[in-house]
Amino acid sequence: MTSTDEGPLYLAAVEGLFSRRLLGFAMSEHHDAALTVASLQMAVATRGGDVGG
């Protein structure tokens, strides 16, 4: 993508229910399952978990 391209940018965020902290987020040009999975993987890693498998 060049600097002259314009279009929507989607954000998926995961917030902790009790801590109300932002645990993970991801941004993409496409609103799809990969965007959601990326934000969930970041949230799990933030909490010290492992996403493998």
Side-chain angles (χ1 to χ4, degrees):
M1 186 165 123
T2 64
S3 61
T4 59
D5 290 348
E6 294 184 23
L9 186 63
Y10 297 98
L11 171 70
V14 178
E15 181 181 2
L17 183 62
F18 296 107
S19 66
R20 301 191 71 183
R21 286 181 41 206
L22 181 64
L23 300 175
F25 67 93
M27 293 188 301
S28 175
E29 295 176 356
H30 305 285
H31 187 241
D32 55 6
L35 176 64
T36 304
V37 169
S39 65
L40 288 170
Q41 287 175 335
M42 183 182 211
V44 170
T46 299
R47 289 290 199 178
D50 183 22
V51 189

